[in-house]
Amino acid sequence: EVQLVESGGGLVKPGGSLRLSCAASGFTFSDTWMSWVRQAPGKGLEWLARIKSKGFGGTTDYAAPVKGRFTISRDDSKTTVFLEVNSLKTEDTAVYYCTAHISGTTFWGQGTLVTVSS
Amino acid sequence: DIVMTQTPLSLSVTPGQPASISCRSSQSPLHGDGKTYLHWYLQKPGQSPQLLIYEVSNRFSGVPDRFSGSGSGTDFTLKISRVEAEDVGVYYCMQVSQLPYSFGQGTKLEI
């Protein structure tokens, strides 16, 4: 069974940083492309970043609004994907989801809440 | 960028009646490998999105057969043949064929 467990969210002041983690199991993590998606309170879904598997160069891609502030990375030995979020703004307040692109489908974790407030 | 537009944005359905949600893309979400990675999800209150349909028309494991997906080109549809109380929530289409990945605005289904 595919499992994705996010952690690392919390309350942070504007301008602050966080490192979100997503522990994966139930599939061959090293062969899997991973993404992060967020959902602001009461709003829709927004794709943030994707990282390919090492076999495809481990290439990263970002949505324009977060490019330069967010960094996605992976540790295949720990089957974990990370999202480093910097220079946080109040509008970054959201639930952050980790997703796995497996065999033509996309699986989601339960999310971790990031609240940016002074 | 591919813009996904869902209609309607809200839907009130009597149990046992059918429901249909449309998702139109600004350009075809056809991947270079020839497949169309257009998925449908249901997000229940307080939960993460759960996969219903992948690659336009493939029902995910465990999803009731009252759910079906169809479409091609830029027009896609999710149909529920007989709505049940447990089907309430927000339905999203999502394309992961081309970057940036994108979502419809969501359709809220109420009973």
Side-chain angles (χ1 to χ4, degrees), chain A residues 33 35 37 39 43-47 50 61 97 101 103-110, chain B residues 37 39 41 43 46-49 51 54-55 60 92 94 96 99-103 105:
Chain A
W33 299 14
S35 285
V37 176
Q39 185 172 36
K43 301 295 184 182
L45 300 162
E46 179 185 20
W47 172 79
R50 182 192 73 182
D61 295 280
Y97 295 102
H101 306 293
S103 300
T105 65
T106 301
F107 293 91
W108 296 59
Q110 287 305 304
Chain B
Y37 296 105
H39 307 328
Y41 292 88
Q43 186 175 34
Q47 297 184 18
S48 62
L51 182 63
Y54 65 98
E55 292 182 32
F60 185 60
Y92 292 96
M94 173 189 187
V96 293
L99 289 175
Y101 298 159
S102 50
F103 301 87
Q105 314 97 301

Side-chain angles (χ1 to χ4, degrees), chain B residues 41-110:
Chain B
Y41 292 88
L42 166 59
Q43 186 175 34
K44 296 184 177 181
Q47 297 184 18
S48 62
Q50 57 189 70
L51 182 63
L52 299 172
I53 303 289
Y54 65 98
E55 292 182 32
V56 180
S57 59
N58 296 290
R59 198 178 306 114
F60 185 60
S61 174
V63 174
D65 62 7
R66 63 179 181 274
F67 290 93
S68 64
S70 63
S72 64
T74 59
D75 287 347
F76 304 93
T77 303
L78 175 71
K79 291 184 178 176
I80 310 172
S81 59
R82 296 173 306 279
V83 171
E84 297 188 4
E86 65 183 25
D87 300 337
V88 297
V90 181
Y91 290 79
Y92 292 96
C93 59
M94 173 189 187
Q95 70 83 21
V96 293
S97 292
Q98 298 179 29
L99 289 175
Y101 298 159
S102 50
F103 301 87
Q105 314 97 301
T107 296
K108 186 173 185 179
L109 188 146
E110 299 174 319

Side-chain angles (χ1 to χ4, degrees), chain A residues 6-109:
Chain A
E6 300 92 337
S7 60
L11 176 62
V12 60
K13 289 181 167 50
S17 299
L18 281 175
R19 191 190 199 202
L20 308 181
S21 300
C22 170
S25 61
F27 59 98
T28 306
F29 181 82
S30 59
D31 291 340
T32 302
W33 299 14
M34 304 291 294
S35 285
W36 286 91
V37 176
R38 71 182 175 185
Q39 185 172 36
K43 301 295 184 182
L45 300 162
E46 179 185 20
W47 172 79
L48 300 173
R50 182 192 73 182
I51 186 165
K52 295 182 179 180
S53 59
K54 291 282 196 300
F56 285 84
T59 307
T60 58
D61 295 280
Y62 298 92
V66 304
K67 195 169 186 179
R69 287 198 303 129
F70 290 10
T71 303
I72 189 172
S73 61
R74 63 190 299 155
D75 184 337
D76 289 350
S77 67
K78 296 181 180 177
T79 65
T80 299
V81 63
F82 304 96
L83 185 70
E84 190 153 344
V85 295
N86 299 310
S87 304
L88 283 162
K89 311 171 186 179
T90 55
E91 53 264 40
D92 293 318
T93 293
V95 175
Y96 285 70
Y97 295 102
C98 160
T99 70
H101 306 293
I102 303 170
S103 300
T105 65
T106 301
F107 293 91
W108 296 59

